[in-house]
Amino acid sequence: PACPGCPVTPSLPSRGRRCERVMAASKPVEAAGGGGGTGGTGLSRWQLALVLGAPILLGAGALYLWGRRAARRGGKGASERKTPEGRASPGPCGGGGGGGQPDGPGHEEMSPLDRAQAAKNKGNKYFKAGKYEQAIQCYTEAISLCPPEKNLDLSTFYQNRAAAYEQLQKWTEVAQDCTKAVELNPKYVKALFRRAKAHEKLDNKKECLEDVTAVCILEAFQNQQSMLLADKVLKLLGKEKAKEKYKNREPLMPSPQFIKSYFSSFTDDIISQPLLKGEKSDEDKDKEGEASEVKENSGYLRAKQYMEEENYDKIISESTKEIEAKGKYMAEALLLRATFYLLIGNANAAKPDLDQVISMEDANVKLRANALIKRGSMYMQQQQPVLSTQDFNMAADIDPQNADVYHHRGQLKILLDQIEEAVEDFDECIRLRPDSALAQAQKCFALYRQAYTGNNPLPVQVAMKGFEDVIKKFPKCAEGYALYAQALTDQQQFGKADEMYDKCIDLEPDNATTYVHKGLLQLQWKQDLDKGLELISKAIEIDNKCDFAYETMGTIEVQRGNLDKAIEMFNKAINLAKSEMEMAHLYSLCDAAYAQTEVAKKYGLKPPTL
């Protein structure tokens, strides 16, 4: 997906500006050794909360990722930690044939530590020969012979015995021996990582995460194997917690600004159109500034009236009245109710309504096409791209002149990395609606992304020129400036990007997301933490339901070392999440930050901070 971990389209309520969250993605940052738990395409978003080094901005998701310096230096890749430590040397345990008895002249004078090392070396030989039980016996003897004050040697013997237990899949014994090794040597990477793997096998996810977090910090995030394990366990923890939380969450209506931005991404959406003249009473048409009364006793028309008044909390109940009465606007009411179910994050309630509208062959084709767009977007958010594609294709079949279909399918194609097909869809949208500034801006961004990820300077220049043309032709399209700003940021033209964000704010002063992007730009451009945080705080002031602002604030607090504050911000974002998948991602960030607090307490380990 264009924005790792966030496969959503603007036709389904998501995390910020109506299309920006999806469209904006740039060249993925490669982790040392290749992938980061994302199929080799770049670092995983859990690493937002395990940051290291200077922050860098990844497209319009405004995501901080560590690791550019690590990627340049190269890393250890996925090196295994299977072998025990120390050389294997001939001879039985203890250096003699009698299981630790002296062997030959002079061995009577061997120190206890020498005899322990000899037993360990013999254990290593057995280990390499695949004779793990015999290796365990030798390591046990080494432990018994080793003077208790020799902490480092003793920790090695425990770690080696754990390695042998690991080969026998005795995970409890592995964890116990690694714990002994870590108690003796708290920064023992091999023992910490082996214990992390044992905890994974024992389904102790929290303990696994703490150990692998310590390993990642100790290795400066240079070993892909430990990063992959961290990614895996964070995803599992996030999914588990999100499943329970989402099931019991209270529905939450987004801010009016968010709702208006959402509906503005449609041009052929009947339910978002203002009430028609014949639907209002003549008495109230001339009462300027007062709510109009609808002529008919229709729940749907009352719901539409509440939409115009921005009284969104009453829309679902009024739509339900129309549906229960089987009124003449039943199809419209089903679609309106489904849309607001999606807006409050209740996809399970939305789907039956969308299904019913889609199956109503006598309903207005634009209603059915709109329902297909929204259901297809819902499927994409649920990571079901095949079903999503089917819905978008069906929408194009039944309503081929509907520009919205191509606009939103184009964004689906971007998420699926099908850039050429995305551009074709945007072209069709533009053909049907030449005045669609949004589609033209997004087409430019698709072409830019294709050129940028292909490391081809000439097409990048052409795409940048395309942005200039779009904002010149459509000077009131905030999205054009926003997408151009993100491309400029990729090109490190920070000053001009800042100007573009200012244009966005002039056009949409109530768009909280733009303030977040501008704040992040200050951090990347000038390393100005105070200004960045001031702008993100302004975003929260404008829209206290902007989960993207809280998430970003949490990420920055992690980088500043303020882990408790970061966890507080992530928890606020979790309570505002609009989908189970988004909630799982936020839990991953929160758990990663929490793991760092535990590692700091136990081992005094912290990654570098800003």
Side-chain angles (χ1 to χ4, degrees), residues 21-42:
R21 210 66 327 94
V22 177
M23 289 296 304
S26 68
K27 188 176 183 178
V29 182
E30 291 296 334
T38 56
T41 59

Side-chain angles (χ1 to χ4, degrees), residues 18 46 109 116 166 203 217 253 255 288 294 306 326 394 396 474 542:
R18 51 189 172 267
W46 68 267
E109 300 175 6
E166 182 181 44
D203 201 31
I217 295 171
M253 190 66 69
S255 66
E288 195 171 332
V294 298
Y306 286 132
K326 297 185 178 179
M394 183 177 173
F474 302 102
I542 290 170

Side-chain angles (χ1 to χ4, degrees), residues 292-311:
S292 301
E293 293 294 330
V294 298
K295 272 187 168 183
E296 302 177 50
N297 183 23
S298 163
Y300 169 70
L301 293 180
R302 281 194 298 274
K304 291 263 295 201
Q305 179 181 319
Y306 286 132
M307 272 190 73
E308 292 186 6
E309 298 169 359
E310 297 182 15
N311 192 352

Side-chain angles (χ1 to χ4, degrees), residues 251-395:
L252 181 68
M253 190 66 69
S255 66
Q257 190 277 333
F258 181 96
I259 293 171
K260 286 186 282 188
S261 286
Y262 169 73
F263 279 113
S264 71
S265 68
F266 295 93
T267 56
D268 278 329
D269 186 358
I270 292 172
I271 63 170
S272 63
Q273 301 304 314
L275 284 166
L276 301 174
K277 286 184 179 180
E279 295 169 340
K280 298 180 182 179
S281 68
D282 294 333
E283 180 184 347
D284 286 325
K285 274 190 288 187
D286 296 327
K287 291 184 180 179
E288 195 171 332
E290 295 184 18
S292 301
E293 293 294 330
V294 298
K295 272 187 168 183
E296 302 177 50
N297 183 23
S298 163
Y300 169 70
L301 293 180
R302 281 194 298 274
K304 291 263 295 201
Q305 179 181 319
Y306 286 132
M307 272 190 73
E308 292 186 6
E309 298 169 359
E310 297 182 15
N311 192 352
Y312 299 118
D313 289 324
K314 294 185 177 180
I315 288 175
I316 289 176
S317 60
E318 291 299 331
S319 298
T320 300
K321 291 176 184 177
E322 181 79 18
I323 294 162
E324 290 175 348
K326 297 185 178 179
K328 72 174 185 178
Y329 297 106
M330 183 173 174
E332 288 87 345
L334 283 164
L335 182 56
L336 183 59
R337 186 172 71 173
T339 301
F340 273 85
Y341 277 142
L342 291 174
L343 281 164
I344 64 174
N346 192 347
N348 289 336
K351 186 177 180 300
D353 286 354
L354 294 172
D355 292 346
Q356 191 170 346
V357 175
I358 291 164
S359 67
M360 297 171 73
E361 295 188 2
D362 57 341
N364 187 315
V365 71
K366 294 206 176 297
L367 289 175
R368 296 176 63 212
N370 188 268
L372 282 162
I373 292 169
K374 289 170 181 173
R375 191 177 71 177
S377 300
M378 181 189 73
Y379 283 141
M380 193 61 195
Q381 194 171 37
Q382 294 171 346
Q383 296 183 298
Q384 300 184 70
V386 174
L387 291 176
S388 178
T389 300
Q390 288 174 356
D391 273 0
F392 277 103
N393 292 346
M394 183 177 173

Side-chain angles (χ1 to χ4, degrees), residues 34 67 72 189 214 222 229 294 348 361 422 424 521 527 545 563-564 602:
R72 283 202 295 264
V189 169
Q222 291 291 293
L229 179 56
V294 298
N348 289 336
E361 295 188 2
E424 289 176 7
L521 179 63
Q527 292 75 54
K545 294 180 180 179
L563 296 174
D564 289 337
K602 289 182 181 179

Side-chain angles (χ1 to χ4, degrees), residues 429-446:
C429 176
I430 293 164
R431 186 188 71 79
L432 292 167
R433 283 191 178 273
D435 59 345
S436 177
L438 201 53
Q440 298 205 31
Q442 289 168 352
K443 176 189 172 183
C444 280
F445 195 88

